[in-house]
Amino acid sequence: MSSPNSDERVLTYAQAIAEAIQQEMARDPDVFVMGQGVDDAKGMYGTTLGLHEEFGADRNFDVPLAEDAMTGIGIGAALAGLRPIQVHQRMDFLLLCMNQLVNMAAKQSYMFSGAHAVPLVVRAVIGRSWGQGAQHSQAFHSYFMHVPGLKVVAPTTPHDVKGCLIAAIRDNNPVVFVEHRMLYGFKGIVPEEAYEVPFGQARRLTAGSDVTIVAISHMVVEALRAGHLLAERGIGAEVIDPVSLAPLDIGTIAASVRRTGRLLVVDNGWLSCGASAEIVSQVVERLQGESTFRVKRLGYLATPCPTTRPLEQIFYPTSRSIALAAHELVHGAGAPAWTIAQDDPREIVEFKGPF
């Protein structure tokens, strides 16, 4: 979908990914795509549709259920000078190639004093969507944040997902590229030309003076909805999308917390040793002795991911639980009771910036 002004052109998240890949494959013949189902009729949620027709089966091809072996092929291709994009339909199964990613891809440049590079992009899909349960709904981005040599990004808006993917493809380091399956249909303004969104720069999506809400991946959508609920109570929430998790832009987050005095981090994963813990600890280190603030975290409950819809509503943070947590941060434990009958029903139809 487009408008007369090219700067206002609207794409879905999936279309933005597809455009980034197509433009980079057209620009650089060393870029290729490999993954389960990337050349089928659905094209990985529409993100790889038609690439095998435009660029040939040697540059966009299906692979067997052999994550460890295929990652080894991707690393080898990258070491040989190519720029592979390896697509995983579920992040859960990156566990099968941890040695390849953590001990091989992440360390080659260091071990050889920069003489070798591994420009590998690993697209990993997270999230629930239709009750996929304990082994198909997990998000392990914090595992990879822990490893020097790996970059980890989890863009939320269509604008940022295109720019981040182009930046990842052009980067000479391995990048774990996190995509939430519930984001693929969301729309936003996306420029037609190729552009990069640099890693290590957080995105402030809304301004507010009462509480800072840092949300990761699809939790940004829930945080924006929670902002509507909070506004009805006179609470201004500043919603920040880190975009890049490694490197992590603590400066933008800390500056916001310095203003609001309250920090709520909402993760798309478990709390223990997770991204939320890292964000909070770095903000504390940055502001200790300078600013006093209150902190709370939300994320997966300490149990495997459930399958049924009623349990999912309890397990995953929602606009309702985020709004209630922020309300308590602002007013304290003795705050007047606030009952929210249901999650905010408003659709986040378009991400309009500023970008």
Side-chain angles (χ1 to χ4, degrees):
M1 187 168 80
S2 63
S3 66
N5 183 348
S6 61
D7 292 338
E8 299 295 314
R9 193 180 65 125
V10 174
L11 296 181
T12 67
Y13 191 89
Q15 289 170 333
I17 292 173
E19 185 168 87
I21 297 173
Q22 190 278 333
Q23 288 179 345
E24 287 303 288
M25 291 181 73
R27 185 188 69 88
D28 185 350
D30 289 334
V31 177
F32 71 92
V33 179
M34 56 186 287
Q36 297 162 20
V38 297
D39 61 352
D40 67 17
K42 294 184 178 179
M44 264 299 295
Y45 306 99
T47 63
T48 60
L49 278 177
L51 292 177
H52 61 290
E53 297 171 348
E54 181 175 356
F55 298 105
D58 58 339
R59 292 187 65 196
N60 184 71
F61 53 87
D62 192 20
V63 299
L65 284 165
E67 286 82 357
D68 186 56
M70 292 302 103
T71 303
I73 290 173
I75 294 170
L79 287 167
L82 300 178
R83 293 186 175 272
I85 304 170
Q86 185 178 7
V87 183
H88 287 262
Q89 291 189 10
R90 294 178 177 87
M91 178 177 262
D92 310 68
F93 301 110
L94 287 189
L95 298 181
L96 299 172
C97 49
M98 287 294 279
N99 180 63
Q100 295 280 22
L101 292 173
V102 173
N103 283 329
M104 302 301 172
K107 296 176 172 59
Q108 293 300 309
S109 181
Y110 175 83
M111 291 169 62
F112 293 96
S113 300
H116 298 300
V118 183
L120 169 68
V121 178
V122 179
R123 289 180 53 202
V125 181
I126 66 171
R128 42 172 174 156
S129 169
W130 44 267
Q132 298 176 83
Q135 296 176 326
H136 296 78
S137 305
Q138 301 166 101
F140 296 134
H141 44 279
S142 64
Y143 290 25
F144 301 103
M145 291 171 64
H146 186 68
V147 181
L150 292 178
K151 296 185 177 181
V152 184
V153 293
T156 305
T157 71
H159 174 279
D160 285 348
V161 79
K162 177 180 176 179
C164 281
L165 185 51
I166 289 175
I169 293 168
R170 296 179 184 181
D171 200 299
N172 284 330
N173 300 282
V175 179
V176 177
F177 200 88
V178 183
E179 305 166 18
H180 197 293
R181 60 174 51 87
M182 291 177 71
L183 289 174
Y184 287 125
F186 281 96
K187 297 176 181 179
I189 294 171
V190 181
E192 186 170 0
E193 69 275 7
Y195 59 92
E196 295 186 48
V197 169
F199 301 158
Q201 293 185 14
R203 179 78 69 196
R204 191 177 72 157
L205 290 172
T206 63
S209 59
D210 297 314
V211 60
T212 300
I213 302 178
V214 178
I216 295 171
S217 188
H218 183 258
M219 287 298 108
V220 170
V221 176
E222 296 296 343
L224 291 173
R225 289 172 173 153
H228 293 308
L229 295 170
L230 291 166
E232 296 172 0
R233 302 283 290 191
I235 296 174
E238 186 151 289
V239 177
I240 295 178
D241 178 1
V243 183
S244 166
L245 299 173
L248 182 63
D249 177 9
I250 286 297
T252 295
I253 297 170
S256 176
V257 176
R258 189 182 289 114
R259 291 192 304 270
T260 66
R262 303 169 184 93
L263 172 62
L264 173 61
V265 184
V266 190
D267 194 8
N268 240 303
W270 289 280
L271 299 182
S272 177
C273 303
S276 64
E278 181 64 24
I279 291 169
V280 167
S281 64
Q282 287 200 36
V283 172
V284 169
E285 289 176 344
R286 181 71 65 94
L287 297 183
Q288 63 182 340
E290 172 195 343
S291 177
T292 301
F293 57 94
R294 302 184 63 200
V295 173
K296 188 173 182 60
R297 295 183 295 148
L298 292 177
Y300 292 178
L301 298 179
T303 178
C305 303
T307 301
T308 67
R309 181 59 61 87
L311 288 178
E312 283 187 337
Q313 289 301 106
I314 301 171
F315 181 80
Y316 296 100
T318 65
S319 60
R320 178 179 176 275
S321 62
I322 295 169
L324 289 172
H327 182 265
E328 183 178 332
L329 269 180
V330 172
H331 291 292
W338 182 24
T339 301
I340 305 176
Q342 61 181 13
D343 291 314
D344 188 83
R346 279 167 285 206
E347 292 292 326
I348 306 299
V349 179
E350 294 180 12
F351 287 100
K352 296 184 178 180
F355 298 118

